[in-house]
Amino acid sequence: MTVENEPAVKYKRVLLKISGEALMGDQGYGLHPPTVARIAREVKTVHDMGVEICMVIGGGNIFRGLAGSAQGMERTTADYMGMLATVMNALGMQAQLEALDIHTRVISAIPMDQVCEPYIRRRAVRHLEKKRICIFAAGTGNPYFTTDTAATLRANEMNCEAIFKGTKVDGVYDKDPKKFDDAKRYDTVSYDEVLQKNLGVMDASAIALARDNNLPIIVFSLDEPGGFRGILAGQGTYTRVQG
């Protein structure tokens, strides 16, 4: 059914990448259920438009592998701990989405059959076709790769039309807008410029993988109510990273 005055949807299948820190609210650690519920409602508004949605959530609110490694922990072990943290976040988001009557699957790169599905590409694609939200957890399943790289990998495998990177600010700036009043926001920026200027959109591996597959990255504010839905309809403030 077409709703009168409903804006046309710009994308049919997207991947939403958010940091683990986005789920902790003002706590400074862990999951903040009201914050997770708010993000789930934002995702629901896009799901209700008929858009097929994948998600990748970081684990930095619980454990960050690189930080653990810097404190003397062996890097591979630290990274696996970080991957497990992403599974916890994915399960928390799944609970909130299913409370909104949205069918959701948590799909882990590390098999743990009691709590989520193993990653099988064709099965994941089928879930999307059935309008289920797929939350990809445990990164790529390998140490030394970030959830940014995992998000770009899964977006390519799922044939997503764009990656939506939800952040605390409404796009990519030439410097930190919270520290510098004269910070300039880019409407569009190239992959190479992001790498050359170290703009901090995603890590270099993720940007290079997106560039090689011509996959646009949309950077927007996850704190802006209705922002995710607005951009899908071609509105709102954001930065588009493209070739």
mmCIF file of all heavy atoms in Angstrom, residues 9 29 57 65 88 92 124 129 151 168 177 195 201 221 233:
data_model
loop_
_atom_site.group_PDB
_atom_site.id
_atom_site.type_symbol
_atom_site.label_atom_id
_atom_site.label_comp_id
_atom_site.label_asym_id
_atom_site.label_seq_id
_atom_site.Cartn_x
_atom_site.Cartn_y
_atom_site.Cartn_z
ATOM 1 N N VAL A 9 11.707 6.055 -1.458
ATOM 2 C CA VAL A 9 12.872 5.475 -0.789
ATOM 3 C C VAL A 9 14.046 5.480 -1.751
ATOM 4 O O VAL A 9 13.942 5.022 -2.892
ATOM 5 C CB VAL A 9 12.561 4.043 -0.321
ATOM 6 C CG1 VAL A 9 13.784 3.442 0.357
ATOM 7 C CG2 VAL A 9 11.381 4.033 0.628
ATOM 8 N N TYR A 29 29.951 2.792 30.084
ATOM 9 C CA TYR A 29 30.290 1.371 29.944
ATOM 10 C C TYR A 29 29.011 0.572 29.749
ATOM 11 O O TYR A 29 27.960 0.912 30.294
ATOM 12 C CB TYR A 29 31.025 0.862 31.196
ATOM 13 C CG TYR A 29 31.378 -0.613 31.123
ATOM 14 C CD1 TYR A 29 32.524 -1.033 30.448
ATOM 15 C CD2 TYR A 29 30.562 -1.594 31.688
ATOM 16 C CE1 TYR A 29 32.848 -2.378 30.339
ATOM 17 C CE2 TYR A 29 30.877 -2.936 31.592
ATOM 18 C CZ TYR A 29 32.020 -3.328 30.925
ATOM 19 O OH TYR A 29 32.340 -4.651 30.812
ATOM 20 N N ILE A 57 27.467 -3.932 14.697
ATOM 21 C CA ILE A 57 27.650 -3.121 15.901
ATOM 22 C C ILE A 57 29.020 -3.433 16.493
ATOM 23 O O ILE A 57 29.398 -4.597 16.616
ATOM 24 C CB ILE A 57 26.549 -3.433 16.946
ATOM 25 C CG1 ILE A 57 25.158 -3.260 16.324
ATOM 26 C CG2 ILE A 57 26.706 -2.517 18.165
ATOM 27 C CD1 ILE A 57 24.016 -3.735 17.217
ATOM 28 N N GLY A 65 39.619 -4.663 21.632
ATOM 29 C CA GLY A 65 40.797 -5.514 21.513
ATOM 30 C C GLY A 65 42.101 -4.756 21.477
ATOM 31 O O GLY A 65 43.072 -5.118 22.130
ATOM 32 N N MET A 88 27.325 -9.862 22.208
ATOM 33 C CA MET A 88 26.476 -9.391 23.301
ATOM 34 C C MET A 88 25.658 -8.180 22.868
ATOM 35 O O MET A 88 24.452 -8.095 23.128
ATOM 36 C CB MET A 88 27.336 -9.064 24.522
ATOM 37 C CG MET A 88 28.039 -10.272 25.106
ATOM 38 S SD MET A 88 29.241 -9.842 26.389
ATOM 39 C CE MET A 88 28.159 -9.237 27.674
ATOM 40 N N GLY A 92 21.532 -7.810 22.395
ATOM 41 C CA GLY A 92 20.772 -6.736 23.030
ATOM 42 C C GLY A 92 19.921 -5.976 22.032
ATOM 43 O O GLY A 92 18.755 -5.659 22.305
ATOM 44 N N ALA A 124 21.772 -15.704 4.786
ATOM 45 C CA ALA A 124 21.616 -14.314 5.204
ATOM 46 C C ALA A 124 20.861 -13.509 4.142
ATOM 47 O O ALA A 124 19.977 -12.699 4.474
ATOM 48 C CB ALA A 124 22.978 -13.693 5.471
ATOM 49 N N GLU A 129 15.662 -10.965 2.113
ATOM 50 C CA GLU A 129 14.566 -11.006 1.153
ATOM 51 C C GLU A 129 13.225 -11.186 1.851
ATOM 52 O O GLU A 129 12.191 -10.734 1.354
ATOM 53 C CB GLU A 129 14.799 -12.134 0.146
ATOM 54 C CG GLU A 129 15.980 -11.861 -0.793
ATOM 55 C CD GLU A 129 16.355 -13.066 -1.646
ATOM 56 O OE1 GLU A 129 15.858 -14.177 -1.353
ATOM 57 O OE2 GLU A 129 17.149 -12.893 -2.586
ATOM 58 N N ALA A 151 31.980 -4.625 8.522
ATOM 59 C CA ALA A 151 30.777 -3.999 7.963
ATOM 60 C C ALA A 151 30.898 -3.839 6.451
ATOM 61 O O ALA A 151 29.959 -4.124 5.702
ATOM 62 C CB ALA A 151 30.551 -2.640 8.629
ATOM 63 N N LYS A 168 28.204 10.485 16.245
ATOM 64 C CA LYS A 168 27.730 11.540 17.142
ATOM 65 C C LYS A 168 27.564 12.877 16.423
ATOM 66 O O LYS A 168 26.973 13.809 16.977
ATOM 67 C CB LYS A 168 28.724 11.727 18.303
ATOM 68 C CG LYS A 168 28.822 10.532 19.238
ATOM 69 C CD LYS A 168 27.616 10.421 20.128
ATOM 70 C CE LYS A 168 27.781 9.339 21.180
ATOM 71 N NZ LYS A 168 26.572 9.193 22.018
ATOM 72 N N PRO A 177 34.517 18.853 15.196
ATOM 73 C CA PRO A 177 33.611 20.002 15.355
ATOM 74 C C PRO A 177 33.273 20.311 16.817
ATOM 75 O O PRO A 177 32.788 21.404 17.121
ATOM 76 C CB PRO A 177 32.360 19.568 14.573
ATOM 77 C CG PRO A 177 32.409 18.079 14.580
ATOM 78 C CD PRO A 177 33.855 17.715 14.548
ATOM 79 N N LEU A 195 41.427 8.866 3.098
ATOM 80 C CA LEU A 195 42.675 8.191 3.461
ATOM 81 C C LEU A 195 43.835 9.182 3.595
ATOM 82 O O LEU A 195 44.596 9.134 4.561
ATOM 83 C CB LEU A 195 43.002 7.130 2.412
ATOM 84 C CG LEU A 195 42.048 5.923 2.345
ATOM 85 C CD1 LEU A 195 42.381 5.060 1.137
ATOM 86 C CD2 LEU A 195 42.113 5.097 3.617
ATOM 87 N N VAL A 201 36.778 8.402 9.145
ATOM 88 C CA VAL A 201 35.447 7.855 8.859
ATOM 89 C C VAL A 201 35.389 6.388 9.275
ATOM 90 O O VAL A 201 34.511 5.971 10.033
ATOM 91 C CB VAL A 201 35.119 7.989 7.360
ATOM 92 C CG1 VAL A 201 33.772 7.357 7.047
ATOM 93 C CG2 VAL A 201 35.150 9.447 6.938
ATOM 94 N N SER A 221 24.315 11.605 11.749
ATOM 95 C CA SER A 221 24.178 11.598 13.203
ATOM 96 C C SER A 221 23.104 10.622 13.641
ATOM 97 O O SER A 221 21.931 10.763 13.271
ATOM 98 C CB SER A 221 23.843 12.996 13.714
ATOM 99 O OG SER A 221 23.548 12.959 15.094
ATOM 100 N N ALA A 233 15.154 8.700 2.529
ATOM 101 C CA ALA A 233 14.184 9.365 1.655
ATOM 102 C C ALA A 233 14.808 10.539 0.913
ATOM 103 O O ALA A 233 14.111 11.329 0.282
ATOM 104 C CB ALA A 233 12.990 9.836 2.484
#
